[in-house]
Each structure stands twice: as C-alpha cells, then as structure tokens.
Amino acid sequence: MTSTVPASLTRLAEGAALQAVFLDMDGTLVDTEGFWWDAEVEVFADLGHRLDEAWRDVVVGGPMTRSAGYLIEATGADITLAELTVLLNDKFENRIARGVPLMPGAARLLAELAGHNVPTALVSASHRRIIDRILASLGPEHFALSVAGDEVPRTKPHPDPYLLAAAGLGAEPARCAVVEDTATGVAAAEAAGCRVVVVPSVAPIAPAAGRVVVQSLEEVDLVFLRTLITAPH
C-alpha cells in the first residue's frame, strides 16, 4: 500500500456522511479489461493453446492467481502459476506502455474528488508494478493511497483490500463509497461493508441492497456518491 497525500487531507469535514471514495482500476477508471484478455490470449497462443471466449467472463476482474490458475487448468498448459504470472504481467505492461485509455467520465470524476479534498484510494487486484505504471496516466496526486492485489494476503473477492484502504484513511467502511465494474470487485466491497456503485464492463451486474448500477462514470459525481451513503439500505 502506498500513500501520496498528507494525512491532513485524508478526512472530510467533520460531520460529513461520506468519508472516502475507493475506485477500482481496470475497467472502472481505465479501459484495460480487454488488454488483460488479449494478453492472456497471446500468452496461451505462444504456449500452443487457444482460449475459449466463454472463459473471459470467468477470469475478468479476478486476482491474477485465480484467473491464471483457472486458465492453466482449463487448457492443461504445461506452465506453473508463478511462470504464467510473470508472462502475463510482462505482456500487459507492454500493452499499457503504448497508452492507457481512460473510461468516459474518469478524468472529470477524479478532478471533482480532488477539488473537494475527498479522500480517494485506488484499490485494484492488479500487481503493484502494473498499478504504478497506470497511476502515471491517472495522476498519482488524485489518490491518498493505493492498494495492490499483491500487497494483501487475500485480494478481491475478499474484503481485505477495501478494509485496508478504509483503515489507511481512518474511515468507516459503511461511510465509504466504492466504484467497481465486476462481480468480483463488488463482492469484495460489499463484504467490507461499503456502499457500491457498479459500472459493468464485461458482464452485467444486477442492482441490490446497498448497490446502485449505472451505465457510465459520467453518471457519477460527488453529489451522487454522498447520496449513496445517506440513502437507507
């Protein structure tokens, strides 16, 4: 977990209902979910295997260990999890080196949160090496801290990453809003006790108690997030 903002800015004004905002990265702020799938397809093609498009929904949004492990089992590829993880990260990093497209509304939302001194954390299942590369495109100054998937004992869909982010910002999970795009991330945020905004990227996600589904980040602003916290479950 890395912190980039002074502690004095990690709280909102006393009495405010919304204490912090946590944002997923791939598929939420940056349009990279397809990059991961393309990297997986290319790596397995090099190993002599063709991935079934139906597997994409299974691996999207998951931690590297789960996604890579599933693909090894599904294909029967002769490679270890550790070896595959290195190959996938290398292939993905080569892709993002050419540029990272932001999702519609991402830049505006980040600027609004920063402009109102809302404590904001980037919480991703991606590894630290990948997060740090993408932070250069997002602007590290927009985040009080970031949590990577290889920095917690259990990453998404477990609540640990969001609980760590809340603790790092001195916030109560129930007064934190999370923006996610996959069922894996939603499960993690809800297990942590946060309110969730879902912007589905690959597979549809249904609304539920404490969860609002929208079509784009362009529908999400600070007023919307504050309302999410104050609204009854």
Side-chain angles (χ1 to χ4, degrees):
M1 181 174 70
T2 62
S3 179
T4 56
V5 173
S8 60
L9 294 183
T10 61
R11 293 227 182 213
L12 286 175
E14 186 173 353
L18 178 68
Q19 292 185 337
V21 174
F22 303 145
L23 301 166
D24 174 56
M25 188 175 73
D26 295 299
T28 298
L29 291 177
V30 289
D31 191 7
T32 50
E33 290 291 12
F35 285 20
W36 278 114
W37 178 247
D38 291 344
E40 289 159 348
V41 168
E42 290 181 20
V43 167
F44 276 91
D46 292 342
L47 295 172
H49 297 274
R50 182 175 180 177
L51 299 188
D52 189 320
E53 186 71 23
W55 298 341
R56 183 173 183 172
D57 289 351
V58 179
V59 301
V60 66
M64 178 73 74
T65 52
R66 191 200 73 185
S67 300
Y70 174 86
L71 293 175
I72 290 174
E73 183 176 352
T75 60
D78 184 17
I79 189 171
T80 68
L81 184 59
E83 291 169 339
L84 180 57
T85 296
V86 172
L87 292 178
L88 290 174
N89 274 324
D90 286 347
K91 187 75 72 173
F92 183 79
E93 199 163 357
N94 288 337
R95 283 183 168 272
I96 63 176
R98 307 169 203 164
V100 180
L102 271 60
M103 298 297 286
R108 187 265 315 152
L109 178 60
L110 289 173
E112 182 181 12
L113 294 174
H116 288 82
N117 291 331
V118 178
T120 303
L122 185 66
V123 183
S124 175
S126 292
H127 289 188
R128 171 55 57 189
R129 60 181 282 197
I130 300 299
I131 286 181
D132 286 345
R133 288 293 296 269
I134 293 182
L135 271 172
S137 297
L138 291 173
E141 70 278 4
H142 290 119
F143 303 96
L145 59 83
S146 58
V147 178
D150 56 342
E151 294 175 340
V152 289
R154 303 183 307 169
T155 188
K156 304 174 185 179
H158 299 287
D160 306 37
Y162 285 113
L163 293 175
L164 182 61
L169 295 181
E172 302 171 27
R175 294 173 69 183
C176 297
V178 172
V179 184
E180 274 280 0
D181 71 306
T182 66
T184 299
V186 170
E190 291 181 341
C194 303
R195 294 293 184 96
V196 185
V197 180
V198 190
V199 189
S201 61
V202 176
I205 298 175
R211 176 200 311 170
V212 176
V213 179
V214 299
Q215 297 303 308
S216 167
L217 280 183
E218 293 179 324
E219 300 178 46
V220 182
D221 58 17
L222 183 53
V223 171
F224 180 95
L225 294 173
R226 284 174 170 162
T227 302
L228 187 72
I229 297 300
T230 58
H233 280 279

